Amino acid sequence: FLHLDGFMDVCDAVLSRRDLETRQRILKDSHCGSFAVICMILLAAAQCSLFFSFESFDSKALLTLAVLPRACSGIAVQTLKPMQTSQYSGAVRSAASVVSLFVQLALFLVFPPLLCGKVGFAPIAAVAVYWICILREKKQLGGMNGDISGFSLTLAELAGIAALLLFGRM
């Protein structure tokens, strides 16, 4: 539920439409606001709708959808500028760890389409949504942190499941 907490925190902060300092303060606040509740209900409804639409699941694609956004998360944490208040602000970033993460990401992007046919494009959709969310929210909130990563990961998985459903029926 850490990713959902990040999702809800980012929804509260960004949808408040306040100045940067206030959005960052809302992001750190442990209370649950109305935007978080509304967005969580919408997310749960979308996830239920997608999962109940499947006739059967492709376990390879689901496993890839679970792992790939987390590889993106590792890259984002290692390469993007953290917020001053983030737990990542004091982290040491080694070039070897960043290269390793990029190699993993490249493998996940190349092999699923080859192994799974049309279904293999769902991980590509997940990666695209992940990076769109990360870059947008990083700009909105003044840097990278764990909540933004959880927000992006949650929406990336949702997009991947939607693409899996769409491409799997073609």
Side-chain angles (χ1 to χ4, degrees):
F1 291 108
L2 290 174
H3 301 129
L4 292 176
D5 175 60
F7 174 79
M8 293 173 74
D9 288 345
V10 169
C11 288
D12 260 348
V14 171
L15 293 174
S16 72
R17 305 281 189 211
R18 305 273 175 91
D19 61 286
L20 178 61
E21 184 180 318
T22 306
R23 286 192 308 258
Q24 288 178 344
R25 193 171 52 248
I26 291 170
L27 191 65
K28 290 173 46 176
D29 188 4
S30 63
H31 294 90
C32 185
S34 57
F35 290 120
V37 172
I38 292 167
C39 290
M40 185 61 217
I41 290 169
L42 293 173
L43 177 70
Q47 288 175 336
C48 286
S49 297
L50 289 172
F51 278 111
F52 283 126
S53 297
F54 279 99
E55 293 173 11
S56 65
F57 291 99
D58 181 347
S59 59
K60 288 182 206 173
L62 287 177
L63 179 62
T64 303
L65 288 176
V67 174
L68 188 59
R70 284 156 181 81
C72 291
S73 180
I75 292 169
V77 167
Q78 290 289 320
T79 59
L80 298 176
K81 178 185 170 254
M83 283 183 191
Q84 293 175 350
T85 59
S86 172
Q87 68 269 25
Y88 302 129
S89 62
V92 177
R93 295 174 176 91
S94 71
S97 64
V98 173
V99 169
S100 170
L101 289 169
F102 275 110
V103 168
Q104 291 172 26
L105 182 62
L107 290 173
F108 277 117
L109 286 175
V110 170
F111 288 117
L114 297 175
L115 296 174
C116 305
K118 292 182 222 175
V119 173
F121 290 104
I124 295 170
V127 168
V129 168
Y130 183 86
W131 286 105
I132 289 168
C133 291
I134 278 287
L135 296 175
R136 182 182 183 282
E137 303 315 323
K138 182 178 96 50
K139 182 179 178 183
Q140 289 283 321
L141 295 167
M144 178 65 186
N145 77 355
D147 287 336
I148 295 172
S149 181
F151 172 85
S152 301
L153 199 132
T154 301
L155 291 180
E157 288 175 344
L158 182 68
I161 294 296
L164 185 63
L165 181 65
L166 177 69
F167 292 124
R169 290 191 176 190
M170 296 180 109

